[in-house]
Amino acid sequence: MTRKKHSRREHDGIEKMNLLWDRPGFLIRRLRQIHVAIFLNSCRGFRITPLQYSLMSILKVSKRLDQSSLAEAIGIDRINAADVMKRLQKAGLIKRESDRADQRVRLVSLTRKGTRTLKKIEPRARYAHDAILKILTSAERKLLISFLQRMIIDKNGLGRAPLKIVWQ
């Protein structure tokens, strides 16, 4: 077997790539890109992003939340959350209404269409989550999830919009 000789330029490229492969931030960002691609492919036809799916999943469990609490539950700032909710409301998947006790507070809940859509999309979304972990054994999957959770808990306050961690 002959080994391919690399030009100096190719060799420099490989060295730079190896440098990135030791950087957790690079790897996390790249893995997220891959997950989003798998999710969008798996859930095509629904026109739902992973972030929208997360928001709808929280609403499924919580039934009804104010916009600020919903933003905290998925770890995004209120402005981005409001934008995501506008798109979901326009699609008829959620409804937003003023709180009777405080008109400044907007309460959010799934519509019937949103509940039906979420039920249809859940197996496909689960497939996307499983697909990203497919190469790992069951024990490795649990370990990876545990490590990610520990890292998020440790550094959560550093994010622009900290995730409100609620244990179930």
Side-chain angles (χ1 to χ4, degrees):
M1 178 164 120
T2 19
R3 189 170 178 205
K4 181 183 174 193
K5 289 188 177 183
H6 296 284
S7 69
R8 178 72 185 151
R9 186 175 180 181
E10 288 174 319
H11 179 71
D12 288 347
I14 291 168
E15 286 298 311
K16 287 177 184 172
M17 188 174 104
N18 288 339
L19 173 73
L20 295 178
W21 281 79
D22 288 339
R23 295 180 179 176
F26 169 79
L27 297 172
I28 292 166
R29 181 192 60 79
R30 182 64 188 136
L31 195 57
R32 182 185 182 282
Q33 289 174 325
I34 293 166
H35 169 72
V36 168
I38 293 169
F39 182 95
L40 293 176
N41 186 52
S42 176
C43 299
R44 77 176 157 265
F46 288 100
R47 296 178 179 246
I48 299 285
T49 66
L51 182 60
Q52 292 169 330
Y53 173 70
S54 294
L55 188 144
M56 292 174 69
S57 296
I58 293 293
L59 286 175
K60 177 186 174 187
V61 174
S62 301
K63 304 297 182 210
R64 191 165 117 166
L65 279 177
D66 66 90
Q67 285 187 173
S68 294
S69 296
L70 189 52
E72 289 174 349
I74 57 176
I76 62 172
D77 63 72
R78 292 190 324 231
I79 294 169
N80 282 334
D83 183 54
V84 171
M85 288 180 236
K86 281 179 190 172
R87 286 182 270 140
L88 288 171
Q89 185 176 21
K90 188 175 180 180
L93 301 173
I94 65 166
K95 65 180 174 183
R96 296 186 300 166
E97 55 197 357
S98 296
D99 186 353
R100 289 186 184 128
D102 185 346
Q103 294 294 311
R104 296 169 299 172
V105 175
R106 301 287 305 258
L107 298 173
V108 185
S109 58
L110 288 173
T111 61
R112 284 190 184 107
K113 179 181 177 184
T115 300
R116 285 192 312 268
T117 300
L118 189 58
K119 189 174 183 174
K120 289 177 187 173
I121 202 172
E122 281 178 330
R124 294 175 183 212
R126 237 183 338 273
Y127 168 81
H129 289 287
D130 290 343
I132 200 80
L133 299 172
K134 187 176 182 178
I135 194 168
L136 303 176
T137 66
S138 178
E140 289 171 331
R141 290 176 187 199
K142 288 177 185 172
L143 195 56
L144 175 64
I145 296 298
S146 174
F147 286 157
L148 292 171
Q149 290 169 344
R150 282 177 50 198
M151 292 164 62
I152 289 168
I153 290 166
D154 182 54
K155 302 295 185 214
N156 189 47
L158 300 177
R160 187 175 68 191
L163 175 69
K164 183 176 183 182
I165 300 169
V166 179
W167 303 105
Q168 295 184 22

